[in-house]
Amino acid sequence: MRESTFSFWQDTNFNALPGQPLTAASNAYQGQSGEEESWFFEAAAEDGTYLNLFLAVYAGEGRARLTLARTGQEVLTREKAAPFTAASSHLDVRVGDVHIRQEGDCFQVQWQEGIELDLKYQPLLPGWQPGDGRINYGEKGNKYLIWSVPVPRAEVSGTLKVAGDKKNFKGNGYHDHRRCNFPLAQALTGAYLGRFYTGDYTFLWANFRGNRLYSGQEITAMYLAKDRQQILSSGNLVVQVYEQEKRDGINYPVEIDLEGGSQPPLRVIIKNPTVIATGSISRLGARNLYCRHQGELKIATQPELALAGQGFTETLAVTNDRVYHGK
């Protein structure tokens, strides 16, 4: 017997919801029983340095993973597990000496062991989520996944210290918030989350792929902004993966064609990926692979707008259908 997706980016009566505004409290720790909650921060500097911090909390324990890639050097990863503390009024979560928090309109990210990181994210765009950000699975929608983007694009500045060498960091960044209350393999085979930047344009996209129980249904979302203003939010996106390769047991896309059913129509072609790193701290059966890629944004205006750019794609590979309790 197959279940069907209960609803996505919609209310429970299948009425499409416009993007709902995000608040500071909605990006804070929600503290729901049985739920894994995580926050992802990404930054790319002008000199080619890339880093991301993934912090997840589940069943009283916090886990954090830092990935740092620098041109011509070995990729560094650091992990930490410890009890966590968190506020419920705004983002303020600590796992040991790892600290992420919101201060006014800005966000601070700190890692103080081995690698010393102190970054400030100054948002360039308001937060966004597709509809209410929630995908419901099961006959009653009692399994859910929530994805929201408090920071679609930010100016990032601060300091980075590795092996005693301290440098200033300046670049662009992104931040999202994720919540899930079931082992992902119970509903999904995998997902892609992507960011693409070209000049004043910011394009975000997502593709969640259902398993056989959900007839392989794909749930998509896209977002487009120019300068400091959102101009598009839609679930009408066709994702075509033309070629895949494998790294550390994870299949990732080599070339992707994204076609948005918008007016005017838009298309984003993603290609020439460079794998940055793989890893996971999730308790709900997912591994992550991060790629830097080149691409092109085309908007069917008169004349057609075609802009080259670059971005990052995260592949989520679902691994099992049980909650992982090991260290």
Side-chain angles (χ1 to χ4, degrees), residues 27 32-33 52 95 108 177 197-199 203 251 257 303 310:
N27 191 34
Q32 298 297 311
S33 177
N52 70 52
V95 175
Q108 297 287 143
H177 181 198
Y197 310 104
T198 173
F203 180 76
N251 291 318
D257 194 336
Q310 66 173 346

Side-chain angles (χ1 to χ4, degrees), residues 289-311:
L289 181 147
Y290 305 99
C291 281
R292 185 196 306 265
H293 58 73
Q294 304 299 313
E296 185 177 42
L297 167 67
K298 295 182 178 181
I299 302 177
T301 53
Q302 294 296 330
E304 181 181 74
L305 179 68
L307 297 170
Q310 66 173 346

Side-chain angles (χ1 to χ4, degrees), residues 101-116:
R101 66 188 185 278
Q102 182 173 1
E103 293 185 347
D105 294 333
C106 299
F107 295 81
Q108 297 287 143
V109 174
Q110 294 176 316
W111 184 290
Q112 298 298 327
E113 184 176 318
I115 298 172
E116 295 183 20

Side-chain angles (χ1 to χ4, degrees), residues 7-201:
S7 63
F8 56 96
W9 319 144
Q10 301 169 334
D11 64 20
T12 54
N13 292 318
F14 294 91
N15 297 311
L17 292 171
Q20 303 296 301
L22 294 175
T23 65
S26 64
N27 191 34
Y29 172 61
Q30 303 299 305
Q32 298 297 311
S33 177
E35 182 179 281
E36 180 177 79
E37 191 166 359
S38 60
W39 297 265
F40 176 78
F41 285 86
E42 180 175 69
E46 297 168 347
D47 65 359
T49 299
Y50 168 90
L51 63 86
N52 70 52
L53 172 64
F54 192 87
L55 189 153
V57 298
Y58 179 81
E61 184 183 57
R63 293 184 174 187
R65 178 182 174 91
L66 176 65
T67 299
L68 172 63
R70 295 167 294 169
T71 303
Q73 300 187 56
E74 180 184 3
V75 175
L76 302 177
T77 59
R78 299 290 185 270
E79 294 187 5
K80 180 175 288 292
F84 70 92
T85 61
S88 59
S89 59
H90 63 286
L91 179 63
D92 191 342
V93 183
R94 287 182 182 269
V95 175
D97 57 10
V98 182
H99 192 193
I100 58 174
R101 66 188 185 278
Q102 182 173 1
E103 293 185 347
D105 294 333
C106 299
F107 295 81
Q108 297 287 143
V109 174
Q110 294 176 316
W111 184 290
Q112 298 298 327
E113 184 176 318
I115 298 172
E116 295 183 20
L117 179 71
D118 190 352
L119 297 181
K120 175 182 177 181
Y121 284 64
Q122 176 66 60
L124 298 176
L125 291 159
W128 166 76
Q129 60 185 355
D132 62 356
R134 178 168 173 148
I135 305 172
N136 295 310
Y137 291 98
E139 291 301 324
K140 297 182 180 180
N142 54 359
K143 301 173 185 175
Y144 61 82
L145 184 154
I146 300 173
W147 174 62
S148 61
V149 184
V151 184
R153 188 170 183 172
E155 289 182 345
V156 182
S157 60
T159 58
L160 171 65
K161 185 177 180 180
V162 182
D165 183 16
K166 186 175 183 178
K167 293 184 177 180
N168 291 328
F169 186 102
K170 184 177 181 181
N172 290 318
Y174 162 92
H175 159 50
D176 71 29
H177 181 198
R178 311 171 192 185
R179 299 166 55 195
C180 186
N181 73 339
F182 64 94
L184 293 175
Q186 292 181 3
L188 298 176
T189 60
Y192 302 126
L193 298 172
R195 287 74 68 185
F196 182 78
Y197 310 104
T198 173
D200 295 330
Y201 285 91

